[in-house]
């Protein structure tokens, strides 16, 4: 009997390659999301530091100039804008990560179905090989039985 050959082996290889690509894309999207979250944390820390500095200045009892107040106001406004923009970037990164996860799950599902088909075909091949081997053994047994019967008749 000829060796087992899965007809869709090329498709299986291509799908495995697509799965690897999807895994890389998902990992990149996850890394990008974590980077954006880390940047957001840095912005929040800078904002808190600015607030602490402002509170320290106002609690010292010193006279605060209008220019200094305007500087703090500009700083806080700028930080709020940065934080809002970063929140939008985080939302976009989350959406991208979800999209990549969905693509990965679809490819994995498709790959699993192809691998199951390959396993089924391999089992069918093994069953057919076993059936053929059993048929040959039956034939050999029948021939031996016939020879032994002829030998007994001749004696």
């Amino acid at each position: 009997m000829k060796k087992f050959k899965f007809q869709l082996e090329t498709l299986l290889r291509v799908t495995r390659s697509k799965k690897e690509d999807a895994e890389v894309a998902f990992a990149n999207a996850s890394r990008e999301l974590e980077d954006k979250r880390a940047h957001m944390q840095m912005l929040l820390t800078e904002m808190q530091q600015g607030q602490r500095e402002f509170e320290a200045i106002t609690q010292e009892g010193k006279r605060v100039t209008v220019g200094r107040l305007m500087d703090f106001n500009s700083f806080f406004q700028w930080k709020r804008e940065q934080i809002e923009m970063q929140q939008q970037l985080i939302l976009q990164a989350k959406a991208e990560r979800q999209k990549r996860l969905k693509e990965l799950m679809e490819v994995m599902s498709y790959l699993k179905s192809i691998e199951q088909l390959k396993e089924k075909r391999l089992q069918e091949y093994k069953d057919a090989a076993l059936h053929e081997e059993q048929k040959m053994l039956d034939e050999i047994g029948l021939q031996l039985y016939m020879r032994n019967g002829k030998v007994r008749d001749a004696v």
Side-chain angles (χ1 to χ4, degrees):
M1 184 169 213
K2 63 182 180 179
K3 186 177 177 182
F4 174 73
K5 184 174 188 308
F6 185 55
Q7 297 294 323
L8 301 174
E9 192 65 41
T10 303
L11 178 63
L12 184 60
R13 266 184 286 161
V14 168
T15 306
R16 283 182 180 147
S17 175
K18 284 182 181 179
K19 178 186 169 240
E20 290 171 6
D21 293 346
E23 286 172 338
V24 168
F26 176 70
N28 289 340
S30 295
R31 195 175 314 107
E32 186 70 24
L33 176 60
E34 290 309 312
D35 290 347
K36 291 192 182 327
R37 285 179 175 162
H39 186 70
M40 172 65 99
Q41 192 59 45
M42 184 191 74
L43 292 173
L44 292 171
T45 302
E46 290 173 355
M47 179 74 134
Q48 289 172 348
Q49 180 65 32
Q51 288 171 338
R52 283 193 293 269
E53 288 176 15
F54 180 72
E55 288 173 10
I57 289 174
T58 57
Q59 289 178 356
E60 286 178 2
K62 289 184 182 177
R63 220 170 113 193
V64 182
T65 64
V66 173
R68 185 89 166 138
L69 285 175
M70 288 177 62
D71 287 344
F72 273 108
N73 187 40
S74 295
F75 172 77
F76 291 138
Q77 181 63 32
W78 178 59
K79 280 297 168 191
R80 275 190 228 103
E81 289 172 3
Q82 283 185 318
I83 289 170
E84 287 176 17
M85 286 188 334
Q86 195 63 28
Q87 286 173 336
Q88 291 301 314
L89 292 174
I90 288 172
L91 289 175
Q92 290 171 359
K94 281 182 181 179
E96 180 67 19
R97 183 177 175 268
Q98 280 302 113
K99 176 183 166 190
R100 298 298 177 185
L101 178 61
K102 183 181 177 194
E103 289 172 358
L104 176 60
M105 298 306 279
E106 288 173 357
V107 170
M108 287 176 68
S109 175
Y110 187 61
L111 178 62
K112 185 177 179 181
S113 65
I114 294 171
E115 287 174 340
Q116 287 175 341
L117 180 61
K118 181 179 180 178
E119 287 299 316
K120 181 180 175 187
R121 296 281 164 81
L122 180 60
Q123 189 58 46
E124 289 172 354
Y125 170 80
K126 287 178 180 178
D127 291 345
L130 184 64
H131 180 71
E132 196 170 305
E133 184 179 340
Q134 188 63 44
K135 189 174 161 184
M136 285 181 10
L137 289 174
D138 288 347
E139 244 180 73
I140 292 171
L142 182 61
Q143 288 176 1
L144 288 174
Y145 176 75
M146 295 300 280
R147 281 190 207 151
N148 286 342
K150 288 182 183 178
V151 171
R152 274 189 243 143
D153 290 342
V155 180

